[in-house]
Amino acid sequence: QVQLVESGGGSVQAGGSLRLSCTTSRYTYSVNNYLAWFRQAPGKEREGVAGIFTGGGSPLYADSVKGRFTISQDNANNAVYLQMNSLRPEDTAMYYCAAGAHVIRPLDVDNYQYWGQGTQVTVSS
């Protein structure tokens, strides 16, 4: 059973930082070579935030988070992280970790087969 577990969400003031973590099994991490973070605000569609190919290469970011968010991988711990700096109220959402094996469009929800339960991020002004 594929399981992705997110952690690190919370409430911060605008301008603050949070670091999200997503851990999974070694098997899942090895066969699903693309990991990504998505978010969904109330009443809005789920949108891609950042994605990374575990085999190497440059990560991909949504325009709205470029320069503020950084995605990174941890092969030793089968994990992917999202460092979020300079947070804004519009970053408030449930954040989800996703894993996929045949990803063509890294920020498209349809490219991912496995999802975590999500972790809430709330940014106050």
Side-chain angles (χ1 to χ4, degrees):
Q1 181 178 356
V2 175
Q3 191 172 24
L4 301 169
V5 180
E6 303 100 333
S7 62
S11 297
V12 296
Q13 289 190 327
S17 298
L18 285 173
R19 184 181 188 235
L20 306 184
S21 300
C22 173
T23 58
T24 186
S25 67
R26 176 160 294 278
Y27 175 77
T28 298
Y29 193 85
S30 65
V31 300
N32 293 279
N33 54 12
Y34 218 99
L35 301 172
W37 287 96
F38 287 75
R39 66 186 181 186
Q40 187 167 18
K44 295 188 176 181
E45 293 186 352
R46 192 169 297 189
E47 63 173 355
V49 174
I52 189 167
F53 177 58
T54 59
S58 299
L60 186 66
Y61 297 95
D63 289 343
S64 58
V65 306
K66 281 180 182 176
R68 301 188 298 122
F69 291 10
T70 302
I71 188 171
S72 60
Q73 62 187 85
D74 183 347
N75 294 337
N77 293 299
N78 309 314
V80 62
Y81 308 106
L82 186 68
Q83 178 66 43
M84 305 186 296
N85 299 327
S86 301
L87 283 162
R88 304 167 180 169
E90 53 264 39
D91 294 319
T92 295
M94 185 71 79
Y95 282 71
Y96 298 91
C97 177
H102 305 288
V103 175
I104 299 175
R105 296 176 297 277
L107 298 184
D108 188 333
V109 295
D110 294 334
N111 280 240
Y112 293 87
Q113 296 80 43
Y114 306 108
W115 295 84
Q117 293 300 307
T119 185
Q120 179 67 38
V121 171
T122 303
V123 185
S124 58
S125 58

